[in-house]
Amino acid sequence: KQMKEVGGRASETARRARGLRPDDIFGFVESLSQLRKVRGEVIALRDLRYHDEARIAALEEDVVDTSERVSGDCVAFLLGEKALNPYRDRIAEQSEKVEKVGKVAEANEVAEELDKAGAELEMLIDIVGNLRIEDATQTTQIIDDISSIYSTLNAVRASLKNRRLALAK
């Protein structure tokens, strides 16, 4: 039963990812995140007492191949000048919210958004770092762009921390 459920989810996730052509970075991040999650579920099937090793290997190979294809498309997209603008905009929006925070609950909402953006940026760095990109300057350019956004994110986090302290006083 578990093999059937996870197998269906893995096949469906891979099928959707293969047909997806995102027009923004969030689409790539969501697709890669889902593929990573379902791959973990497929690998966990090996812990079942009676499992079909050939079926698990086929599922994992399908998910890995799809992940590599989507990752390659993501890198090509990231080489575009405006590819990371959605993250820049999102962090700028959270920065504006920090200035308007009047309650700790509001600060928590902003912190959650910042944490989500940070996790996605870390995943992007991981993806780019693990891909075989022939031109090392492309890898460096993408990682530098992401790192620049991440440093802005950390500055907004520090600002939020200061705002929380001010509210506590």
Side-chain angles (χ1 to χ4, degrees), residues 14-44:
R15 185 191 63 72
R16 270 186 285 142
R18 281 191 297 270
L20 187 68
R21 292 293 168 250
D23 57 352
D24 70 9
I25 192 63
F26 297 130
F28 283 108
V29 169
E30 179 64 27
S31 182
L32 290 167
S33 176
Q34 289 174 357
L35 286 166
R36 185 177 278 192
K37 178 182 174 194
V38 80
R39 183 175 182 203
E41 292 175 9
V42 168
I43 290 170

Side-chain angles (χ1 to χ4, degrees), residues 83-104:
L84 294 171
N85 282 351
Y87 281 107
R88 288 182 185 97
D89 297 343
R90 194 162 151 196
I91 292 169
E93 179 183 316
Q94 296 309 314
S95 180
E96 290 173 13
K97 285 183 180 179
V98 167
E99 296 170 13
K100 299 174 186 173
V101 166
K103 299 178 183 176
V104 174

Side-chain angles (χ1 to χ4, degrees), residues 50-93:
Y50 303 105
H51 63 267
D52 181 353
E53 186 62 40
R55 173 80 173 127
I56 293 171
L59 285 171
E60 186 177 7
E61 183 178 342
D62 184 35
V63 171
V64 167
D65 289 346
T66 304
S67 292
E68 287 177 3
R69 183 179 316 148
V70 173
S71 294
D73 292 346
C74 181
V75 168
F77 183 81
L78 285 170
L79 288 171
E81 204 172 290
K82 299 177 182 179
L84 294 171
N85 282 351
Y87 281 107
R88 288 182 185 97
D89 297 343
R90 194 162 151 196
I91 292 169
E93 179 183 316

Side-chain angles (χ1 to χ4, degrees), residues 91 114 118 121 125 143-159:
I91 292 169
L114 293 172
L121 289 169
I125 289 173
I143 291 177
D144 283 350
D145 289 347
I146 295 170
S147 296
S148 169
I149 295 169
Y150 206 84
S151 68
T152 304
L153 174 93
N154 285 336
V156 174
R157 281 181 174 159
S159 176

